[in-house]
Amino acid sequence: MGKKIKLIDRLRLGLAVLVAKTVTFAVRSLRLGAASVLPGSIARRIEPRLLQLLSQQVKNGVIIIAGTNGKTTTSLLLKTILERKGYHITHNSTGANLENGLMTALLENTNLVGTLAADYAILEVDENIVPKVLTPLQPRIILCLNLFRDQLDRYGEVDTISKRWTKVISTLPKETVVIPNADDPTLSHLGQQLPQRVLFFGLNEPEQYLESIQHAVDSIYCPNCGHSLDYQGVYLSHLGDFTCPSCGFSKSKPTLESSEWGQILVGLYNKYNTLAAVTAAIELGVDETTIRDTINNFQAAFGRAEDLIIDGKKVRILLSKNPVGTNETIRVVNQSTDKTTLMVLNDRTPDGTDVSWIWDVDTEKLVERGGTIVVSGDRVYDMALRLRYSEKSLESNLSLIVEEDLKQAIATALKHTADNETLHILPTYSAMLEVREVLTGRKIL
């Protein structure tokens, strides 16, 4: 934290920064993109140790936030809490969470001679590259949110990722604070194996249990001995209260009493995001008054339970990019009385090109409520087929509208949304960006 850099390193770093800022200026001036990755990629060729040299200048340390779901929302909440205490934060707010994206985020707050002025760096990190960046970043805090199957064509099983995390985290200084999700068996076990200081977060609210385990369950076996876990109850997917009848492994005790804390936004998954950020904030010495006030006044990151008013009607965008996340957004929709939903399924690189995960989603629960579902996106017919298979009979109350053109699909969904209701839009990642561009960039048809 806040280390000085040798002169020769400073010169190479200064050149790398100058080139990166020139590239950023050119890309943005020509409106070629957000320049969230390319500057870091080029600067890294000039100074391979760029990540280490920049991160070690952060005054109070680096905070890594890793996991399949919730990184952006958790990061934004923690960033907002710390900013309200007057701290200057560096954050990869564009969501570029691979190595080049992390470097670009740090470069944003670096001057032309390579000096980085930041009290904290909050970095969202893709779960697959966590082992690669922990050593150069030397984080002060590591938040481990959850591990679910996400992009099937990119990543292996969650236990493989967890083992890699454990191996690398255990080599970090003993002063490193690790904050895993106690309700995730894999991460609960990870925390119990580490020599560092570990603070767990999780729920202790049995009234929130699901009636049954969802289809999209990744890990119901003991990470210690492989025996089937006994669940007292499940909150979402495989997150819940559990014990192993074979070896005695059980859920770790959360640091906070979850029932004593409110949450940001809608959905139980955001209670987890809230508890993760709160646990980290308290560890950093932030007072409870500031934390609670920030929670009460929190504004969503784009596409994550974001509310908009379009043509006088309420629209809520709920990013739905994998089975667990989509099941939770469906739960949010079902808790409302609104009758219209728009689902947009893409299969581009940011989404994962394998869309077979939609068959692990409990779409039956969305179809059962009836109403109107409009589907669109690159894989519109895959989504439509999944919904048709979810109908229990040909006489269901569902009105399914298939519209290939996204702009027309949004217009159709808005037309079917009553003035006093909310249109819920459930898009994959690239689809979410397209939806927002249509909604905020120009008028609907």
Side-chain angles (χ1 to χ4, degrees):
M1 292 186 289
K3 295 180 181 179
K4 291 185 178 180
I5 300 178
K6 295 179 181 179
L7 179 59
I8 185 64
D9 292 333
R10 174 70 68 185
L11 292 174
R12 288 174 62 91
L13 179 60
L15 176 60
V17 170
L18 178 62
V19 171
K21 288 191 176 294
T22 302
V23 171
T24 300
F25 176 78
V27 170
R28 292 178 180 174
S29 296
L30 296 173
R31 297 184 178 181
L32 298 177
S36 60
V37 174
L38 184 61
S41 177
I42 294 176
R44 183 184 181 187
R45 293 178 179 272
I46 299 171
E47 174 49 83
R49 295 182 302 150
L50 184 68
L51 199 59
Q52 175 184 341
L53 294 175
L54 291 177
S55 62
Q56 70 184 29
Q57 297 183 63
V58 180
K59 184 178 179 181
N60 295 326
V62 174
I63 301 167
I64 283 181
I65 300 182
T68 310
N69 292 342
K71 293 185 291 291
T72 297
T73 301
T74 304
S75 299
L76 182 57
L77 176 56
L78 182 57
K79 175 176 180 282
T80 305
I81 291 171
L82 293 175
E83 285 180 336
R84 292 194 61 183
K85 298 301 294 182
Y87 294 112
H88 178 63
I89 311 297
T90 290
H91 173 222
N92 52 334
S93 57
T94 63
N97 55 26
L98 300 179
E99 289 173 272
N100 293 333
L102 304 182
M103 294 176 195
T104 300
L106 293 170
L107 286 164
E108 279 281 331
N109 289 278
T110 304
N111 65 20
L112 291 177
V113 295
T115 300
L116 174 62
D119 295 306
Y120 291 99
I122 297 177
L123 300 177
E124 306 170 31
V125 180
D126 183 281
E127 57 266 37
N128 207 40
I129 71 157
V130 167
K132 296 181 181 180
V133 302
L134 286 182
T135 300
L137 287 176
Q138 291 290 296
R140 176 175 175 176
I141 292 178
I142 305 172
L143 269 170
C144 305
L145 301 182
N146 46 62
L147 282 176
F148 302 121
R149 283 180 297 131
D150 190 13
Q151 299 180 23
L152 301 179
D153 51 315
R154 290 177 56 201
Y155 299 150
E157 295 300 322
V158 294
D159 58 340
T160 301
I161 295 175
S162 174
K163 288 176 182 177
R164 294 173 60 210
W165 283 17
T166 305
K167 182 178 179 180
V168 179
I169 293 175
S170 62
T171 67
L172 296 176
K174 297 296 188 292
E175 297 77 25
T176 307
V177 178
V178 184
I179 306 178
N181 188 337
D183 295 358
D184 187 320
T186 304
L187 295 180
S188 194
H189 182 259
L190 175 151
Q192 294 177 15
Q193 307 307 305
L194 296 174
Q196 286 84 6
R197 183 158 175 259
V198 179
L199 305 173
F200 291 95
F201 70 94
L203 298 179
N204 33 35
E205 303 175 42
E207 66 275 13
Q208 300 280 8
Y209 287 158
L210 290 170
E211 294 181 2
S212 60
I213 293 180
Q214 300 168 319
H215 291 155
V217 173
D218 298 311
S219 178
I220 57 174
Y221 297 98
C222 177
N224 186 53
C225 72
H227 194 279
S228 296
L229 292 171
D230 282 345
Y231 276 88
Q232 181 181 346
V234 174
Y235 294 112
L236 69 92
S237 187
H238 61 275
L239 307 187
D241 297 325
F242 52 83
T243 57
C244 176
S246 177
C247 70
F249 166 72
S250 62
K251 169 180 170 176
S252 306
K253 181 176 176 55
T255 303
L256 303 177
E257 181 68 36
S258 66
S259 60
E260 296 177 357
W261 291 89
Q263 70 173 77
I264 56 173
L265 310 175
V266 295
L268 192 63
Y269 54 97
N270 278 316
K271 184 65 177 278
Y272 279 111
N273 296 336
T274 303
L275 291 169
V278 169
T279 303
I282 291 176
E283 170 64 19
L284 294 172
V286 181
D287 59 280
E288 288 193 12
T289 300
T290 299
I291 295 172
R292 293 184 187 278
D293 188 58
T294 306
I295 292 172
N296 292 335
N297 295 283
F298 182 77
Q299 297 294 317
F302 66 93
R304 280 83 170 176
E306 181 183 18
D307 290 327
L308 303 171
I309 301 296
I310 305 296
D311 296 343
K313 296 182 179 180
K314 290 182 63 176
V315 176
R316 174 171 289 166
I317 305 174
L318 299 164
L319 178 64
S320 305
K321 64 188 182 74
N322 54 37
V324 173
T326 306
N327 278 340
E328 285 306 294
T329 56
I330 287 175
R331 193 192 321 194
V332 171
V333 174
N334 283 346
Q335 288 171 347
S336 75
T337 58
D338 305 307
K339 301 299 183 183
T340 306
T341 305
L342 169 61
M343 304 186 76
V344 190
L345 177 66
N346 281 357
D347 61 350
R348 303 174 195 178
T349 300
D351 312 294
T353 56
D354 183 348
V355 297
S356 62
W357 61 265
I358 64 175
W359 294 92
D360 287 333
V361 177
D362 295 331
T363 48
E364 290 80 6
K365 294 181 179 179
L366 183 63
V367 169
E368 283 175 10
R369 72 199 305 267
T372 300
I373 301 180
V374 182
V375 291
S376 189
D378 299 339
R379 301 297 289 269
V380 58
Y381 293 104
D382 294 78
M383 194 73 251
L385 181 64
R386 177 67 186 101
L387 293 172
R388 281 299 185 204
Y389 265 95
S390 302
E391 294 179 280
K392 293 183 177 180
S393 72
L394 296 176
E395 299 178 358
S396 70
N397 295 320
L398 174 67
S399 172
L400 181 62
I401 300 174
V402 178
E403 179 51 67
E404 294 182 16
D405 182 81
L406 178 60
K407 192 173 182 181
Q408 182 63 56
I410 293 174
T412 300
L414 281 170
K415 181 179 179 181
H416 282 81
T417 303
D419 291 340
N420 61 341
E421 293 186 352
T422 297
L423 168 62
H424 291 90
I425 302 180
L426 279 56
T428 54
Y429 187 80
S430 71
M432 179 265 290
L433 299 179
E434 289 184 300
V435 166
R436 289 193 81 259
E437 181 179 0
V438 173
L439 290 176
T440 63
R442 50 187 178 271
K443 291 183 179 180
I444 310 302
L445 294 176

